[in-house]
Amino acid sequence: MAKIKKKGQSGQAKNYITRTQAVKKLQISLPDFRKLCIWKGIYPREPRSRKKVSKSATASTTFYYTKDIQYLQHEPLLQKFREQKVLEKKISRALGRGDVSDAARLERNAGRPDQTGKPRYTLHHVIRERYPTFIDAIRDLDDCLSMLFLFANLPSTTSVPAKMIARCERLCHEFQHYLITSHSLRKSFLSIKGIYYQANIQGEDVLWLVPYKFNQRVVGDIDFRIMGTFVEFYMTLLGFVNYRLYSSIGLKYPPKFDQTKDDKGAELAALTLEGVNLATNEETTKAITNGEGHGPNPKVQAEVDKLVKKLRTESAADKADEEMADGEEEEEEKATDAIDKFEPAAPGGDVLPQPTYSGNDPSKLFANCTLFLSRETPRQSLEFILRAFGCKRIGWDPILGEGSFTTDESDPSITHQIVDRPIVQAATTEQGDGEDNQTAQKLGPNQRYPGRIYVQPQWVWDCINDEELKSPELYAPGASLPPHLSPFVKPTQGQYDPTVPLEEQETEGEALDAAIEDAKDEVESDEENSEVENDMDVADDNDNDEEEDSDAEEDEELEDEEDEDEDEEEVLQRQRELEAEISGKAVKSKQVDPKLKAKLEKKKALERKKKEEAEDLERAKGMLSKKKRKLFEQMQYTNKKKSTEDMKLRSKRRKLEKEKAAGKA
């Protein structure tokens, strides 16, 4: 007889478990269960059939894989959570007995894990489990950086402590220092949400978002407990990543931190990088001898030195013979434009870096520039980008903080100054005295420092995205800036592109509509001008001579004759229309502009062609199956929606260009 299956012990009912059952099984509270799931990367799962899993399940019931919960049962953090629960019970009992000093002692010891030597818990083992290789951690760095940069800009509250904000800010600055040193930053984009950055770290592209440096307003409808759990995990992750990145380029981690400079707003300048090779002699000897004083055997070292010296002399002699043999052939050859190769003169000598044909090195884009940032510019983002692309000399107004190359705006070594304010002249009184205001620029257009280039902040972003120094005339203060496009979006065919002329990307129908509209406007303007000329009355004075009176009378007679001619033309036109209705022929209308008539005919032909294509398409759709036809209609709907949006953008640009041309005229 076959074994009888019991209900709930096989199938989907066994594979899934509800959240309430999981919390009871692990014997922890719901907040601790949420923390554990976030840190271990375990998320709720939706079963195919809720009825088969649990008949009592509602729409709000949360399910997890049973294997995931079994995996959590062996987690070391569970014991830490239980110890924390025991400590809370001890404190509550002490308060219940009225022993306040004992409760304070227990709470004080729990709040000082560094002094007691018993930290509450660490997430190091969780990082190693979730990211077996370093590349896995790099790929998961996008959300980590976005979250930490966000918390670094938040104000301190009861839900977001100041220590967490300071820790996030320091980790972000350490990561920025690595990007500056390794020149790993590639692109950046200014958006409404904030500033997007993209860096290439060991072959992986990392994209993150940094909010603008505004006063953030913390609202009450955000659960900072959940976000704080993520931040706690991400801080540990970025600490591991920063250590590996610093070690890969030969830097000590963590870098030295100057609290005094940080209090004065130095930010990046508050950290001092140190190379591994810059250690003192004592540190070097300790690292070599491992603190035990055991050096190499002098006899063995002498024999090794002799062998190395012998090998070097033999290799040098062989190279000298080869150079002598090749020298005669090289004398006969003509000089070419090839780049010279600086080979070492002796074995073991320093090898010089070889020059390349391409001189456009993005890491040295601003190497020859000395920039000064005005007080209204975003100093933090500009400093980071400029240093990442080779600029060593950046100055700014002293009100923006410490760490600048210079705070003197009149420094003659400054080549570029970044300003972001409108050029407003100082208000002048009747006596000619000027009153300075905050919006007015201290130096007027004709009073700028000679030999210095003034640009707006967008110039920096466009330069790094295009990997070349853009023309500063396009970004002059007060100038209309070129469009700032996202470097992360690849342009597709038919999509609106503001950098391309309108004539190259508009469709044939749009071009015809625009031409017809322009022609109609010209005809209307000509008619208005003629009406204005006809309605002009010649002012007559009572003291005019008799000759002028006679001339006026002649003009009035001519106008009366013209009015009579127009009335006759209207009567004749009406008569033609009646004759055409009786005979069934076409009405002979007034004379139309031949160019406008040709464009109208061309538009009609284009509409007939589109109608025929639509009919052919409908017939072809009838040959498709129902599934493919629905898919094709969905594709058509999406493409039509995109083309409509592009058409609106092109019409808006056409209108702006027309207004601009009319304003210049």
Side-chain angles (χ1 to χ4, degrees):
M1 184 177 177
K3 190 175 181 181
I4 300 173
K5 289 184 179 181
K6 291 185 179 180
K7 191 176 182 180
Q9 291 188 356
S10 63
Q12 292 191 32
K14 185 181 179 182
N15 294 336
Y16 292 93
I17 186 173
T18 62
R19 188 179 66 182
T20 307
Q21 293 172 345
V23 169
K24 288 181 180 178
K25 195 170 187 178
L26 296 174
Q27 297 179 358
I28 56 175
S29 62
L30 184 58
D32 290 342
F33 176 73
R34 285 200 188 107
K35 279 186 179 182
L36 203 58
C37 289
I38 289 171
W39 290 339
K40 299 291 286 184
I42 294 172
Y43 301 98
R45 308 291 178 175
E46 184 64 26
R48 292 183 179 179
S49 176
R50 284 175 168 265
K51 291 182 179 180
K52 290 183 179 180
V53 175
S54 175
K55 288 186 177 180
S56 61
T58 60
S60 60
T61 306
T62 306
F63 291 97
Y64 291 87
Y65 281 145
T66 307
K67 287 186 177 180
D68 289 343
I69 304 304
Q70 290 175 353
Y71 170 64
L72 288 179
Q73 284 182 313
H74 307 285
E75 175 57 41
L77 288 172
L78 279 177
Q79 185 61 31
K80 295 289 184 181
F81 290 153
R82 288 166 185 157
E83 290 176 2
Q84 182 69 18
K85 193 175 181 180
V86 170
L87 177 65
E88 290 174 359
K89 283 185 177 181
K90 286 182 179 179
I91 294 172
S92 64
R93 285 199 200 101
L95 291 173
R97 293 194 305 267
D99 193 353
V100 180
S101 60
D102 191 24
R105 179 184 60 80
L106 291 170
E107 189 175 2
R108 196 165 49 248
N109 290 339
R112 296 182 300 172
D114 298 335
Q115 297 180 11
T116 57
K118 295 180 180 179
R120 291 173 60 191
Y121 55 81
T122 60
L123 302 178
H124 299 166
H125 67 285
V126 179
I127 300 294
R128 296 191 191 97
E129 286 176 8
R130 289 191 62 176
Y131 307 106
T133 63
F134 184 57
I135 295 297
D136 295 332
I138 295 294
R139 288 170 184 161
D140 201 24
L141 211 56
D142 299 1
D143 295 335
C144 170
L145 291 172
S146 299
M147 183 71 80
L148 293 184
F149 272 101
L150 172 63
F151 269 72
N153 291 324
L154 289 179
S156 60
T157 58
T158 53
S159 54
V160 185
K163 287 184 179 180
M164 178 184 288
I165 295 171
R167 176 67 176 157
C168 291
E169 190 174 6
R170 184 170 175 180
L171 286 169
C172 293
H173 288 161
E174 290 172 358
F175 181 73
Q176 285 181 329
H177 267 295
Y178 165 77
L179 297 179
I180 292 170
T181 307
S182 61
H183 303 291
S184 301
L185 190 65
R186 292 293 176 264
K187 295 174 183 177
S188 181
F189 175 62
L190 299 166
S191 71
I192 298 174
K193 296 180 181 178
I195 305 175
Y196 285 92
Y197 295 98
Q198 186 184 53
N200 188 274
I201 302 173
Q202 296 189 5
E204 294 292 333
D205 289 333
V206 181
L207 179 69
W208 71 97
L209 177 65
V210 178
Y212 293 110
K213 282 282 184 178
F214 298 141
N215 290 331
Q216 304 292 337
R217 185 167 55 90
V218 179
V219 294
D221 57 348
I222 298 174
D223 192 353
F224 280 98
R225 292 178 301 171
I226 302 297
M227 295 182 70
T229 305
F230 277 101
V231 169
E232 192 174 354
F233 175 76
Y234 286 147
M235 284 193 297
T236 309
L237 172 61
L238 190 57
F240 271 75
V241 171
N242 284 346
Y243 172 75
R244 283 290 303 269
L245 293 176
Y246 273 63
S247 302
S248 64
I249 58 176
L251 294 176
K252 287 185 178 180
Y253 187 82
K256 285 187 177 179
F257 179 70
D258 192 342
Q259 185 64 44
T260 307
K261 287 185 178 180
D262 188 63
D263 293 340
K264 294 179 180 179
E267 297 197 357
L268 286 174
L271 297 173
T272 305
L273 302 183
E274 291 182 332
V276 176
N277 297 328
L278 300 178
T280 59
N281 293 331
E282 295 179 3
E283 291 178 354
T284 308
T285 51
K286 285 180 182 178
I288 294 173
T289 60
N290 199 15
E292 296 178 0
H294 296 294
N297 192 348
K299 294 182 179 180
V300 176
Q301 186 65 34
E303 292 179 359
V304 170
D305 292 340
K306 286 181 182 179
L307 184 60
V308 170
K309 189 176 181 180
K310 185 178 179 181
L311 291 172
R312 285 183 177 179
T313 52
E314 290 178 358
S315 60
D318 295 339
K319 285 186 177 180
D321 294 339
E322 291 177 0
E323 289 176 0
M324 289 291 291
D326 297 338
E328 298 176 357
E329 297 178 359
E330 290 178 357
E331 289 177 359
E332 297 176 358
E333 294 178 357
K334 295 181 179 180
T336 61
D337 295 333
I339 294 178
D340 297 330
K341 292 184 178 180
F342 302 96
E343 295 180 354
D350 295 333
V351 180
L352 297 175
Q354 301 298 316
T356 57
Y357 286 101
S358 60
N360 298 328
D361 188 4
S363 63
K364 298 179 181 178
L365 190 62
F366 301 106
N368 299 326
C369 302
T370 303
L371 290 100
F372 187 85
L373 311 179
S374 298
R375 66 177 182 270
E376 71 277 1
T377 56
R379 172 222 148 179
Q380 291 81 7
S381 55
L382 284 172
E383 181 191 3
F384 168 53
I385 291 174
L386 291 172
R387 292 196 188 282
F389 282 85
C391 187
K392 303 293 183 184
R393 301 173 300 278
I394 308 172
W396 53 75
D397 197 278
I399 199 173
L400 297 177
E402 285 193 356
S404 63
F405 168 72
T406 179
T407 56
D408 185 11
E409 189 176 355
S410 61
D411 193 332
S413 63
I414 297 172
T415 60
H416 296 73
Q417 183 166 347
I418 301 176
V419 295
D420 193 16
R421 65 180 79 171
I423 300 177
V424 180
Q425 297 294 334
T428 56
T429 60
E430 294 179 357
Q431 290 79 13
D433 298 331
E435 295 180 0
D436 190 14
N437 52 21
Q438 291 183 355
T439 58
Q441 196 136 354
K442 290 183 180 179
L443 295 173
N446 300 323
Q447 299 175 350
R448 294 177 183 170
Y449 294 105
R452 186 178 299 183
I453 299 172
Y454 289 81
V455 291
Q456 297 187 47
Q458 187 182 326
W459 176 76
V460 177
W461 272 270
D462 289 350
C463 285
I464 66 170
N465 290 336
D466 295 342
E467 297 184 357
E468 63 178 4
L469 292 177
K470 308 290 286 184
S471 177
E473 289 80 9
L474 301 173
Y475 303 87
S480 180
L481 294 172
H484 181 61
L485 304 177
S486 173
F488 315 117
V489 178
K490 295 181 180 179
T492 57
Q493 189 176 4
Q495 188 180 7
Y496 172 71
D497 188 359
T499 59
V500 178
L502 194 61
E503 293 78 11
E504 296 182 9
Q505 53 181 330
E506 63 183 358
T507 60
E508 188 178 358
E510 291 177 12
L512 279 172
D513 291 339
I516 291 168
E517 190 177 350
D518 293 340
K520 286 181 179 179
D521 292 340
E522 289 178 3
V523 171
E524 289 176 0
S525 62
D526 293 341
E527 289 177 356
E528 288 176 1
N529 293 333
S530 62
E531 288 176 3
V532 169
E533 290 175 0
N534 293 332
D535 294 339
M536 285 178 63
D537 296 326
V538 180
D540 297 332
D541 297 331
N542 296 327
D543 300 334
N544 288 343
D545 298 332
E546 294 178 357
E547 294 179 357
E548 293 179 355
D549 292 338
S550 62
D551 292 339
E553 289 175 1
E554 290 176 1
D555 292 338
E556 288 177 2
E557 290 175 0
L558 290 171
E559 288 177 2
D560 293 338
E561 290 176 359
E562 289 177 358
D563 292 338
E564 290 175 2
D565 293 339
E566 288 179 1
D567 294 337
E568 289 177 1
E569 287 180 0
E570 290 179 1
V571 171
L572 290 171
Q573 179 66 20
R574 179 61 181 165
Q575 189 175 356
R576 289 193 204 102
E577 291 177 358
L578 290 171
E579 291 176 358
E581 287 180 5
I582 294 168
S583 60
K585 297 179 181 178
V587 182
K588 294 182 180 179
S589 59
K590 291 183 180 180
Q591 191 175 1
V592 185
D593 186 9
K595 292 183 179 179
L596 180 60
K597 190 176 181 181
K599 288 172 183 174
L600 289 170
E601 290 177 355
K602 195 173 181 181
K603 184 181 178 182
K604 289 179 181 178
L606 186 63
E607 289 176 353
R608 283 196 299 270
K609 185 179 177 182
K610 285 183 179 178
K611 190 176 180 180
E612 291 174 0
E613 289 177 355
E615 290 175 357
D616 294 340
L617 191 62
E618 286 296 327
R619 285 194 292 269
K621 279 166 61 176
M623 303 296 292
L624 296 173
S625 62
K626 188 176 180 181
K627 185 178 180 181
K628 291 182 178 179
R629 186 166 60 252
K630 285 186 177 180
L631 181 62
F632 181 72
E633 288 174 355
Q634 192 175 2
M635 290 168 59
Q636 273 189 314
Y637 173 76
T638 307
N639 294 335
K640 189 177 180 181
K641 191 176 180 181
K642 289 180 180 178
S643 62
T644 306
E645 292 174 358
D646 295 337
M647 194 184 301
K648 287 180 181 178
L649 291 172
R650 285 193 289 267
S651 63
K652 187 177 179 182
R653 179 179 173 183
R654 192 181 296 108
K655 186 178 179 181
L656 290 173
E657 288 180 355
K658 193 182 291 184
E659 290 176 357
K660 192 175 181 181
K664 288 182 179 179

